Amino acid sequence: MLGFLLFIIFVIFGYICGSFCSAIIVSRLFSLPDPRLEGSLNPGATNVLRLAGKKYAALVLVGDMLKGFIPVILARSLGLGPIITSFTCLAAVVGHMYPVFFKFQGGKGVATALGGLLGLSFVTGIATIVIWLIVANFTGYASLASIIALIFAPLYSILGFGSVDVFIPLFFMTFLIIYKHRNNINRLIDRDEPKLSFSKHRFSDVTEDIVVDEQVNQAFEEEEKTADIIIEDESANKPTEEPIYATADQQEDSASEPPSAAEQPIFTDPATPETVRTPKKKKKKSDNEPS
């Protein structure tokens, strides 16, 4: 009964530790872009590396590894067996993937799994990290390195513990990590997966772009204001046109002028709907005109 109670306690403790998302915490502390909204949309060390650079990514990496290492090493220090410690590692990874404190929107669990493996067996953790570094160095793909390194982790743990009790929880841990990398696998197949980049000034570049955009917007607004002021001044200084009135002689001349052909009255024959115009008078031929 006590063993089962300790099992429940450490599984919950591991999940709570994993729910502290280091990427989100570091991003909020240092006013970095939210990794859930920028880059690959994954709150992990790799995405923070792309968004902000190595310094902040290192903080996230250490924090994520400690989330898996602390509960597992604590369980081992209390003399708990491999079943409880391995399930504690699994719970920490699940907490990182689905954190209760951040609306269950977490990362992919690679760094937390590496920390948990170091707590389970130092040799297993080091072997997994070495494989990750080798694959990442030769391919440049962090996702591919994570998948390959963690596929062998359950086997390493069996060799390290000398027991198959750790295989089932670590197998599920590896399965969940591969499942979280399903989009990366599709991009690897399509050759669209971005490679690792260790540029130093990613976040400064982003902030500089934001500052430049704000300056451009301010200049554009000032130009619009000056243009509006100029238009108002021109409309205010524009002379008003005085109305022109016709004289009495001009009014009499316009009244005495005969209407043009287009202005002559039109009469309608009641028998037919067609319009009949007034006939024009023909001129009489003079005697001198030739016939």
Side-chain angles (χ1 to χ4, degrees):
M1 184 65 182
L2 180 60
F4 179 75
L5 184 61
L6 289 173
F7 175 83
I8 297 298
I9 291 173
F10 272 89
V11 166
I12 295 174
F13 177 64
Y15 175 78
I16 292 174
C17 288
S19 294
F20 290 97
C21 190
S22 304
I24 300 175
I25 294 172
V26 170
S27 299
R28 290 181 179 178
L29 286 176
F30 295 98
S31 300
L32 303 177
D34 192 338
R36 296 171 298 177
L37 304 175
E38 303 287 341
S40 63
L41 310 181
N42 175 56
T46 304
N47 194 25
V48 174
L49 174 65
R50 296 190 183 104
L51 293 174
K54 292 187 289 185
K55 180 175 69 175
Y56 301 105
L59 292 175
V60 174
L61 178 63
V62 172
D64 286 346
M65 292 183 70
L66 287 176
K67 293 189 305 183
F69 180 79
I70 290 174
V72 172
I73 201 67
L74 182 60
R76 286 194 64 187
S77 64
L78 293 176
L80 302 179
I83 295 178
I84 295 179
T85 53
S86 57
F87 271 98
T88 302
C89 179
L90 173 62
V93 173
V94 172
H96 177 80
M97 293 178 177
Y98 307 101
V100 67
F101 303 122
F102 297 100
K103 300 179 181 180
F104 302 100
Q105 298 177 1
K108 298 176 181 177
V110 176
T112 305
L114 292 176
L117 291 173
L118 284 172
L120 282 172
S121 171
F122 185 76
V123 175
T124 301
I126 292 297
T128 306
I129 292 172
V130 168
I131 292 177
W132 190 96
L133 291 173
I134 292 172
V135 176
N137 183 48
F138 279 97
T139 64
Y141 296 113
S143 56
L144 182 62
S146 302
I147 293 169
I148 293 176
L150 289 168
I151 282 176
F152 298 100
L155 300 176
Y156 297 152
S157 299
I158 292 175
L159 296 176
F161 276 95
S163 173
V164 296
D165 295 335
V166 299
F167 180 80
I168 294 177
L170 295 185
F171 172 79
F172 278 107
M173 181 189 74
T174 303
F175 173 78
L176 287 174
I177 291 173
I178 294 175
Y179 173 75
K180 293 288 283 188
H181 282 82
R182 61 191 183 279
N183 294 329
N184 302 87
I185 294 172
N186 292 330
R187 288 195 294 267
L188 285 169
I189 295 172
D190 297 334
R191 297 182 180 181
D192 293 332
E193 178 73 358
K195 292 188 176 183
L196 284 172
S197 176
F198 294 96
S199 60
K200 296 181 180 180
H201 304 291
R202 285 298 182 87
F203 182 62
S204 61
D205 293 341
V206 173
T207 53
E208 286 177 2
D209 292 340
I210 294 172
V211 171
V212 170
D213 291 339
E214 290 180 353
Q215 292 176 352
V216 171
N217 292 332
Q218 289 177 358
F220 183 72
E221 290 176 357
E222 290 177 358
E223 289 180 358
E224 285 186 340
K225 290 180 180 178
T226 53
D228 293 338
I229 293 171
I230 292 171
I231 292 171
E232 290 178 358
D233 292 340
E234 290 179 353
S235 60
N237 296 328
K238 187 176 180 180
T240 56
E241 296 181 356
E242 296 181 357
I244 300 173
Y245 299 98
T247 61
D249 296 336
Q250 291 176 346
Q251 292 179 358
E252 290 178 358
D253 293 340
S254 61
S256 61
E257 289 180 358
S260 61
E263 296 176 352
Q264 289 182 359
I266 299 173
F267 301 96
T268 305
D269 189 357
T272 59
E274 296 181 355
T275 302
V276 180
R277 294 185 179 273
T278 55
K280 295 182 180 180
K281 294 181 179 180
K282 294 183 179 180
K283 291 183 179 181
K284 292 182 180 181
K285 288 185 179 181
S286 61
D287 297 334
N288 298 327
E289 287 183 358
S291 57

